[in-house]
Amino acid sequence: MSRGGGGYDRHITIFSPEGRLFQVEYAFKAVRTCGVTSIGVRGKDCVVFVTQKKVADKLIDASSVTRLFKITKFIGMLITGIMPDAKSIVQQARQQAAEFRFKYGYECPVDYLAKVLADKAQVYTQHAYMRPLGVVSMIIGIDEENGPQLFKVDPAGYYVGYKATSVGGKETEATTVLEKKVKAKPEMTYEEAVQTAIAALQGVLSEEFKASEIEVGVVRAGFMDGSFHVLSNEEVETHLSVISERD
C-alpha cells in the first residue's frame, strides 16, 4: 500500500492539512481489498444478508469458516474485512447485548447495539493506543416497534439504518444495482429479498455461485419466533435454482 500521507498517516489521531485521518481511511481500504463483497436487503417482514464464502486452503474444514455470527437468538451480524478483527467486534457485540438483556429484562434492540459498537469505533479514532478495526459490520434483526432492521457500522464510528446496502470490493457496483431493485419493489417478500440479494451479488461479481460458495443469514417475522438463522446449502440451492430459471 503506497503512503501518500506526508507523515500524517503515522498517527491515528492527527489530521492532515486537508482534514483527513489517513489511518481511518486505510481501515476502509482494508475492507475494500479483503476480496469479499457482502450485500444486505430489508424486506417487508424480513432482513437478509449474503456474502461470499472463501476457504483459503483445501485442508481447512469449510464448516469452521464463516463471516456470519449469531449475537443473540434474534440478532445476526455479518462481518466484512479482516477476520481476526471480526472476532473482537463479535465478542464486544455479544457482551453488550447480554448486559442489556440482564440490565433491562428484554432483548437488545438492533439500533442500540449498532450505536454502542459505532461509539466504540469512533473512540478508537481519538486515541493513539488503539487502531481502528479493519471491518464493516451489518447487523440485522426484527424490532418489536419498528419491524425489520438493517444497520451498518464502519471503522469511523458511523452507523445508519438501510433498506439495502453493500460492503467490500464491489460495493459501488452493488449499491447501484440495489438502488434500482429497491426503487422497483420497496416492499419485498422473504423470497424476493433473498433472491434479490443473491442475484445482485452474482451480477456484480459476474459469477454463478454454488450453494457452498455463499453464506445467507436471515431473520423473518413470524418464523422461528423471529430468530436469526443461517440457510442450509439445500435452502440456498433452491433459491439459486429459482434465480437461474428466472434469468
Side-chain angles (χ1 to χ4, degrees):
M1 187 181 293
S2 62
R3 299 218 355 231
Y8 291 97
D9 60 348
R10 296 179 186 175
H11 302 281
I12 295 172
T13 56
I14 297 176
F15 282 101
S16 74
E18 294 82 27
R20 297 165 65 184
L21 288 171
F22 284 102
Q23 288 295 327
V24 177
E25 291 182 21
Y26 293 161
F28 279 96
K29 191 164 186 177
V31 175
R32 289 195 301 272
T33 58
C34 71
V36 171
T37 300
S38 307
I39 288 176
V41 177
R42 191 180 76 189
K44 180 170 57 178
D45 60 351
C46 63
V47 195
V48 176
F49 49 38
V50 58
T51 189
Q52 297 168 265
K53 182 167 185 173
K54 291 190 173 182
V55 182
D57 193 312
K58 290 181 180 178
L59 295 177
I60 294 175
D61 179 2
S63 64
S64 67
V65 177
T66 184
R67 291 179 179 273
L68 273 51
F69 301 92
K70 181 181 281 190
I71 303 304
T72 70
K73 181 182 177 182
F74 304 100
I75 297 177
M77 180 181 281
L78 164 57
I79 304 288
T80 309
I82 302 171
M83 287 315 292
D85 285 4
K87 306 292 185 182
S88 171
I89 199 168
V90 167
Q91 189 167 348
Q92 288 179 31
R94 286 173 175 163
Q95 183 178 346
Q96 290 294 333
E99 286 178 2
F100 186 97
R101 181 79 173 80
F102 179 77
K103 186 174 182 179
Y104 298 107
Y106 63 95
E107 291 297 330
C108 178
V110 178
D111 60 337
Y112 174 82
L113 186 59
K115 176 184 180 300
V116 170
L117 294 178
D119 287 348
K120 282 180 175 287
Q122 203 282 324
V123 167
Y124 294 165
T125 69
Q126 300 178 35
H127 298 283
Y129 61 78
M130 190 78 181
R131 68 166 174 81
L133 296 176
V135 297
V136 173
S137 55
M138 288 187 205
I139 309 171
I140 63 172
I142 304 291
D143 190 272
E144 290 182 3
E145 296 178 359
N146 302 315
Q149 300 279 288
L150 168 61
F151 278 83
K152 186 166 77 172
V153 182
D154 66 29
Y158 180 71
Y159 80 102
V160 70
Y162 287 88
K163 297 174 184 175
T165 188
S166 61
V167 185
K170 295 284 186 178
E171 179 178 349
T172 306
E173 296 90 333
T175 300
T176 303
V177 171
L178 291 170
E179 284 173 356
K180 294 176 182 175
K181 297 281 189 184
V182 171
K183 185 177 180 181
K185 184 106 187 216
E187 295 288 320
M188 298 183 194
T189 64
Y190 167 70
E191 287 77 14
E192 287 170 338
V194 174
Q195 289 161 23
T196 296
I198 295 174
L201 188 61
Q202 287 191 146
V204 298
L205 294 170
S206 302
E207 290 183 43
E208 287 198 5
F209 293 117
K210 298 175 184 174
S212 60
E213 294 174 341
I214 58 174
E215 293 182 286
V216 183
V218 301
V219 286
R220 187 178 175 189
F223 181 74
M224 293 175 62
D225 296 327
S227 60
F228 170 76
H229 69 286
V230 178
L231 298 190
S232 65
N233 282 355
E234 291 75 19
E235 291 173 298
V236 174
E237 188 61 53
T238 301
H239 289 293
L240 287 170
S241 299
V242 172
I243 293 167
S244 179
E245 290 167 8
R246 185 180 64 198
D247 296 343

